[in-house]
Every structure is written in C-alpha cells, then in structure tokens.
C-alpha cells in the first residue's frame, strides 16, 4: 500500500493538490479531511492510557469543518462506505499498537475496501513531525506544497476576514515565521529523504498543462482548474485579489520588504518562481524579526516540532496552557477509567 501525506504552510494549496492526486487516479483512495496525525502525536500520555481502539475510533469519527463559514462538517468515515466497527476489525488493532500506526492501518482498510493500492491524505503541518510519522507508518511519503510567500501570508492573515480588517503586527509575524519554518524544514527533509519527500509549487499544480508524477502517482491539471493569476489573494501590481474580485494592498511596504528579503531566498530553494528581493541587505527587515527567525530556523533543523511549540507558546501562552490543562484533564480521566489487565469481571 502506497501512503502519501500532503502538507505545507496554510493557504498554499495542499487540499487542492491532494484532491487532484486522489481523484485523478482510480488506484488511489482520497481522504478528504485533515488526517490529524500530528494531533495524535501531541497526546503521548493519553495515547498510553486510553485503549488504542478507542483513540482510533475517536479520530475516525471526529468531525472537521469543511467550509469557510464553518457550517459543513465531515469525518474520515464520510469517505468510506465501511462501518466504523468493520474498519476497526479490518485494521487488526492491538492494544500495544501506537495509535498513529493503528490509524494508518485503518486508512489502509478504507483504501483496500475500495480496491485502491494507495491512499492520499492532507494534514496540518505534518512536516514538523515527519521523522516520528515515518517510523510509525511504514513507507509514508510526504508531499509539501508551497506558494509565493507574499500571497500565502496575505491569504493566511485575511482568510475568513472582512475586507475592512486590519491585521496586527503579531498576526503578520506568526504567518511569516510559520512559512519560514515550514520552508526550512522542507528543504532539510528533501535533502535527507529524497525518495520520500517531494516539494511542489502551487503554480506547477494549477498552470502546468502537461503531466507529472508524484511518487509514481500521475498528476495533471484539469481544464476547469483555476489558474494561479486568478486565485484568491494572488499578487498584482496594486495589491492582492480578494474574494469579491477587488485588488487591495493587504500588506504594508515594510512587510513586503521583509518577505522578499528573508523568505524569497527560501522560496527559490524550493523551486518557486519569485522575483529577486527588493534589497540584497537584511536592513529590509526588523532586526528582532531576523534574530527570531534565525533562532527558530536553527532549532527547526534539530527539532522541528520543538521550534513549532516555542512559536505557539510565544504567540499565545494562555491558549497553549489552556490546551495543556485540557489535555491533562483528559489523561486523568482516562487513567481513572483504565482497567487493570489483572482485574476480573464480576460474575
């Protein structure tokens, strides 16, 4: 079974790319919701305390929002006619299995039930956890999709926002650093695992009239696919394209200067066709932003997941602490309800 996970920064086209790969090939099963593998990895204590079968059942049936208005929800089960209990049985889940491994086998079972020999899913920044994921899911391959950082950052900031919205410096910094970290991790992973990690530029997905292959799976652009210049938040001379068609300057000149100075060199290494930086000097970006990015990039080369954790905590420590408290409450509840293997059932 071929297993392909699609990731990369937000608003760069990973969902579109995964859907094209999965629906153009009859041998592929397409999972049309976030797989949530990294979310499973972030709960190691709960994974040990809760029965593996229960954890896999939870993630298979967990609903995810599928539209911008947050009105439509789907789960992994939406994409398979096989009942939950049947999937769990077909996955052959054992109590000593890691939930990620068992969940991967459940997706294998979904694919096999449809006669597929491969599955394709997308996820939220799986690149930061790839080393753990590839140990737990045999043969996992990672495809990372990137877009011009000017467009990607504008889209990430203004997605689901009114056209009158004015972003904060903090929101720009987070979008900027997430793109930078994802790009650095992608460059490192592709160098270390060239057979299992690939990078695609969104224009190559949407504008390439020919056909290419990703890990041996054909990919071509259908005639009705939106071309890059017409995408939401695409860059134009006077600004970025909004959903209503208006062209508005969403980013300041200083922010665009920082992006072109610091992120365009990374974009070029990834194969994106970006213009040369407006300035060859790092004076085009604030010194504090340069230092912060440099430190996180250095750490990401050693421990990508730790770099992301530090970024999350620095941006919103209260939300991170609340999340950890909620996680500990769930773990405590699982521990209290855990049955000892030596406990006998009452007669």
């Amino acid at each position: 079974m071929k297993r392909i996970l699609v990731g990369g920064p937000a608003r760069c086209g990973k969902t579109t790319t995964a859907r094209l790969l999965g629906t153009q090939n009859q041998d592929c099963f397409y999972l049309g919701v976030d797989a949530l593998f990294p979310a499973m990895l972030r709960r190691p204590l709960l994974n040990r305390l809760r029965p593996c079968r229960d954890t896999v059942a939870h993630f298979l049936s967990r609903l995810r929002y599928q539209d911008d208005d947050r009105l439509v929800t789907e789960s992994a089960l939406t994409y398979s006619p096989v009942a939950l209990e049947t999937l769990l049985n077909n996955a052959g889940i054992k109590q000593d299995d890691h939930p990620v491994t068992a969940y991967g086998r459940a997706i294998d079972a979904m694919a096999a039930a449809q006669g597929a020999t491969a599955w394709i899913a997308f996820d939220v920044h799986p690149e930061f956890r790839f080393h753990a994921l590839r140990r737990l899911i045999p043969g996992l391959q990672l495809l990372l999709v990137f877009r011009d950082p000017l467009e990607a950052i504008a889209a990430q900031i203004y997605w689901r926002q009114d056209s009158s919205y004015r972003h904060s410096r903090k929101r720009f910094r987070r979008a900027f650093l997430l793109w930078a970290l994802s790009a650095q991790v992608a460059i490192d992973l592709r160098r270390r695992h060239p057979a299992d990690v690939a990078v695609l530029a969104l224009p190559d997905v949407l504008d390439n009239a020919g056909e290419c292959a990703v890990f041996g799976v054909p990919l071509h652009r259908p005639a009705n696919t939106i071309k890059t210049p017409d995408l939401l938040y695409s860059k134009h001379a006077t600004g970025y394209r909004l959903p209503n068609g208006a062209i508005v300057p969403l980013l300041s000149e200083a922010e665009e200067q920082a992006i072109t100075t610091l992120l365009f060199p990374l974009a070029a290494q990834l194969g994106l066709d970006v213009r040369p930086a407006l300035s060859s000097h790092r004076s085009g970006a604030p010194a504090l932003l340069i230092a912060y990015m440099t430190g996180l990039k250095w750490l990401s080369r050693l421990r990508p997941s730790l770099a992301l954790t530090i970024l999350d905590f620095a941006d919103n420590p209260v939300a991170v602490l609340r999340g950890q408290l909620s996680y500990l409450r769930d773990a405590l509840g699982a521990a209290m309800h855990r049955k000892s293997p030596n406990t006998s059932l009452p007669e």
Side-chain angles (χ1 to χ4, degrees), residues 87-113:
L87 279 176
L88 295 174
N89 291 334
N90 291 347
I93 298 173
K94 302 173 184 175
Q95 182 48 39
D96 59 350
D97 283 339
H98 192 285
V100 168
T101 303
Y103 186 47
R105 289 208 305 269
I107 301 176
D108 288 352
M110 291 171 125

Side-chain angles (χ1 to χ4, degrees), residues 14 108 127 143 173 196 225 232 264 287 317:
K14 60 178 176 287
D108 288 352
E127 59 272 23
L143 172 63
R173 183 181 67 238
D196 294 324
T225 300
L232 297 182
F264 272 23

Side-chain angles (χ1 to χ4, degrees), residues 18 61 73 106 111 157 173 188 273 309 330 347:
S61 57
T73 57
I157 292 173
R173 183 181 67 238
D188 293 339
D273 183 15
T309 299
D330 289 343
E347 296 183 358

Side-chain angles (χ1 to χ4, degrees), residues 30-53:
Y30 167 61
L31 184 65
V33 294
D34 289 328
L36 299 181
F37 285 120
M40 298 179 80
L41 285 173
R42 287 195 296 268
R43 22 187 283 164
L45 178 59
L46 192 56
N47 288 339
R48 287 195 293 271
L49 294 173
R50 179 176 290 174
C52 181
R53 188 182 177 96

Side-chain angles (χ1 to χ4, degrees), residues 209-262:
E211 188 172 286
C212 62
V214 179
F215 303 126
V217 179
L219 172 66
H220 64 275
R221 181 183 64 81
N224 59 351
T225 300
I226 297 174
K227 290 198 173 185
T228 303
D230 300 320
L231 282 175
L232 297 182
Y233 305 103
S234 56
K235 183 73 172 74
H236 298 266
T238 57
Y240 301 83
R241 182 185 296 278
L242 296 179
N244 63 9
I247 307 297
V248 178
L250 301 177
L251 302 178
S252 69
E253 183 177 342
E255 289 169 340
E256 291 188 346
Q257 179 73 36
I259 292 170
T260 56
T261 302
L262 296 176

